[in-house]
Amino acid sequence: MRHNLGFPRIGTKRRLKFALEKYWRGDTSEDELLQRAADVRAANWRAQLEAGMDLVPVGDFSLYDHVLDMSVTLGHVPSRFAGDGSSLDRYFRMARGRSQRGAPAQALEMTKWFDTNYHYLVPELESSTTFALDPTRLLSQIDEARAVVAEHAGGTGTAGSHEHAGGTSTAGGHEHAGGTGTAGSHQHAAEPSHSERRDRAGGATPAVKPVILGPASYLYLAKAKGPEVDKLSFLAPLLTEYRKLLDALDEKNVEWVQIDEPILALDLTREWRGAIRLVYEVLKSSRAKLLLTTYFGELRENFDTVLALPVDGLHIDAVRGSEELDGVFAGFPRDKVLSVGAIDGRNVWKADLDAIVARLEPEYDVRGEKLWVAPSCSLLHVPVDLELESKLDPEIADWLAFAKQKLEEVDTVATALAEGRAAVAGELRANRRANERRRASGRTGDAAVGRRVHSIEPSMLRRHAPYSERRRKQREQLKLPDFPTTTIGSFPQTPEIRAARRAHRKGEMSREQYTEFLRGQIAHAIEQQEKIGIDVLVHGEAERNDMVEYFGEQLSGYAFTQHGWVQSFGSRCVKPPIIYGDVSRPAPMTVDWITHAQSLTDRPVKGMLTGPITMMQWAFVRDDQPRSTTAYQIALALRDEVSDLEGAGIRAIQVDEPALREGLPLRRSDWEPYLAYATEAFRIATAVARDETQIHTHMCYAEFNDIIESIALLDADVITIETSRSDMELLDAFTDFEYPNEIGPGVYDIHSPNVPEVEDMVRLMELAAARIPSERLWVNPDCGLKTRTWEEVIPSLRNMVEAAKRLREKSVRRGAA
């Protein structure tokens, strides 16, 4: 049995993103948005069926976030979102604070989904919280999926099916009529598609498999709003709704339900492990079969608990949990389904199919059809289709697999197990040769980079003077007021900027014309900031398409896609670069743009760089060397850039590390090695700066309490963090630790289109001042402003500057008193 845990919900070429944003602008109706969403779902199911899947997931699709979807399904909606508008308007108000109708409201807090770059919306648990099941969304999507399955089973092909006769292959070896070959191609005229091969083998008609977030994970990932709120006190009423949901699915004649419990990859207390046992004792009465699904890591101390649960099947991550595979084989009952997540759902490299088949064959001989094959986790975290990449270097494309190709790998493994390797000899041979070509390629190594990494010395990790001395020198040079204001880096990426970028890439705008256009955009950003009264300016990043991709395009060892988009949150998508080789900086990357911006103003303009861990974490990283080695390579490249910016007269340089917490291993026992190289990489990049140069960094939504010592070890002069949705609670970590340097807690949520009120920002900063001495506080937004419009940004920043002025006035009055 081959199945999938989840498919990229954004659709081919970001179809869902554009549909959502048109709706939010008021350019389309609710019915039109829902129809576009249904079209994306149908295309996703067809792609999975064509790849040969026997079970296709339903409920993995979301208009914004799957955790938010679970909240709505459970009727878990905070009271502030009641009011006018449809259920869809309420949904978007929960997600982003505003929709087409209904009063604006503070959106749900957002944070990272485990150690990925995906963000989920955090459920809120209050003493008054209740649940009331509404399974309409999931039930209706089951009907949609069954219609697509029936169409596929009854036809001779489906939209998006591959043509195989008479063509030559693309990277990965699939034949396409009339196509041209790329590296790694091989010919196999008239070879059946994955779905055709399954049908010829007498496989059953594919079925649908609802996907739900399990109750233990849902509660664990929620936020208790108040010290008196105990998360586990909600378990009994929550289980009542889950039982109703499973009953509703049973009434739809669903055979299998995928119930995700990703917290099983975390360090859980005895209390939480007991809660998990209780959950599945209660839910075992369900007539629908439960496939308990774990991913993102090993089970470790949760191992015995999981293997003893009364479920019908278990999915394990055999990529990140490969060391436990033999134990699972030995300990999990053989009369139950065991799903092995053998294909990496988190990275884009081709799997070693020979090795996977060899590992699974002995267990298949024992378990037979009870052994299922799947990706390690949802394919939400990888791009949709490698075949869209017509401009990607063919040699590198030969090494890769995106979501569709990963499902084909699943099918190849499952077919090899069920029918023997001869049935897929061509696929196995093509995979083997592609991996051999990658290992033999001379493009992955650079001896000069290797020598430089080996020459790193402890002195390269230390600033000349401690922060207390640097602060004095920086104050003298920058001449900033109390509560200085700044922004995080980017300003709106307007339609004009995007159009100019497209025109330049198409050759419709010369390099000189494009440069002049961008200089004009930078001048506009500087002018607006000066009018508003910002203290430390930024150039606005008009020249940058993405904070990682922009730098990667100028570094060796990085490759880029046209359509390799991955969802970060809502309609926000990123296009992670691919680190395939050793990294170095051939030439300065930002100096010309920043020095031009600085020439337009007497106020300091920050140099803006993306830090080494984020440059790595937000890319698809090579898997043939330690990640620490890649981090040090990037750090040395950034060190050169910091030195050049400083040499050009830039007095403040921001090196963003929003992914530092995200990269933290899920298990505490694995933290020390990661935090050691992560902090070292940041210091390698920044410690070259003189004492007078103010080093800033920025971090996104995360829990900082458990890594606050490592954040202090970064020794940044100023750190800005996202805190507005948490009502400054995230600052408690800095207070308890007595963080010594300066902090800019975000005073307004840039992910919402709402313009913040002055009074609200003053209130938030006063909460901050109760935790951090006011002389060490900065005033800034939560994050960069590229996704907002100037019509939103200008009044928001005006209000922010006014809030800073009021804070200074209050501070003066307190001092006089």
Side-chain angles (χ1 to χ4, degrees), residues 80-200:
R80 68 180 179 276
F81 300 109
D84 298 333
S86 67
S87 59
L88 185 65
D89 287 313
R90 182 185 63 185
Y91 178 90
F92 286 133
R93 287 167 63 229
M94 293 172 70
R96 54 196 301 271
R98 182 190 295 182
S99 188
Q100 285 192 356
R101 292 168 293 277
Q106 182 180 356
L108 293 173
E109 186 175 341
M110 185 167 61
T111 195
K112 294 295 179 72
W113 177 247
F114 295 83
D115 58 347
T116 76
N117 188 29
Y118 179 78
H119 301 67
Y120 76 94
L121 290 160
V122 182
E124 297 176 356
L125 295 172
E126 301 176 293
S127 56
S128 59
T129 293
T130 59
F131 306 101
L133 182 69
D134 179 4
T136 307
R137 172 191 62 89
L138 187 56
L139 299 181
S140 64
Q141 289 182 20
I142 289 171
D143 292 336
E144 291 178 37
R146 282 175 168 163
V148 172
V149 169
E151 170 196 299
H152 178 87
T156 57
T158 62
S161 64
H162 300 304
E163 298 290 334
H164 291 270
T168 54
S169 76
T170 61
H174 297 291
E175 312 284 31
H176 293 267
T180 56
T182 64
S185 64
H186 63 277
Q187 295 188 2
H188 49 101
E191 181 175 304
S193 71
H194 294 266
S195 60
E196 289 169 342
R197 182 164 57 217
R198 179 197 61 216
D199 294 341
R200 291 180 188 178

Side-chain angles (χ1 to χ4, degrees), residues 62 82 113 195 203 255 265-266 287 291 295 321 389 401 405 408 423 433 461 464 485 535 601 646 674 679 702 747 750:
S62 175
W113 177 247
S195 60
E255 182 179 8
L266 303 179
R287 289 187 295 273
L291 179 68
Y295 41 79
E389 302 302 329
Q405 290 71 41
E408 292 169 358
R433 291 176 177 174
L461 280 66
H464 176 73
T485 56
D535 297 307
T601 180
E646 188 177 61
Y674 166 77
T679 54
V747 293
I750 68 90

Side-chain angles (χ1 to χ4, degrees), residues 650-712:
I650 301 304
R651 296 169 286 169
I653 302 171
Q654 183 167 311
V655 182
D656 288 343
E657 281 292 23
L660 183 73
R661 178 63 174 81
E662 168 193 316
L664 192 68
L666 298 179
R667 301 287 188 163
R668 187 176 289 270
S669 59
D670 299 330
W671 286 6
E672 185 176 347
Y674 166 77
L675 289 171
Y677 80 71
T679 54
E680 286 175 359
F682 183 88
R683 295 202 306 272
I684 289 168
T686 59
V688 68
R690 296 190 298 267
D691 292 345
E692 293 81 3
T693 301
Q694 191 172 69
I695 295 295
H696 293 233
T697 191
H698 172 69
M699 294 186 183
C700 287
Y701 285 113
E703 295 295 334
F704 299 114
N705 303 58
D706 42 16
I707 61 166
I708 189 64
E709 292 183 12
S710 296
I711 292 174

Side-chain angles (χ1 to χ4, degrees), residues 59 88 97 134 152 181 212 265 272 332 334 370 390 402 427 430 433 508 548 553 615 626 672 719:
L88 185 65
D134 179 4
H152 178 87
I212 59 176
W272 276 98
F332 192 66
R334 291 175 177 172
K370 296 288 187 181
S390 60
F402 291 177
E427 284 88 344
R433 291 176 177 174
E508 299 168 358
V548 172
E553 286 177 338
M615 284 292 298
E672 185 176 347
I719 180 172

Side-chain angles (χ1 to χ4, degrees), residues 276-277 280-281 284 292 299 302-311 314 331-333 336:
I276 289 169
R277 286 192 290 270
Y280 291 95
E281 282 295 328
K284 71 180 182 181
L292 177 67
L299 299 172
N302 305 322
F303 185 93
D304 291 340
T305 298
V306 170
L307 266 60
L309 293 176
V311 293
L314 171 67
F332 192 66
K336 295 184 177 183

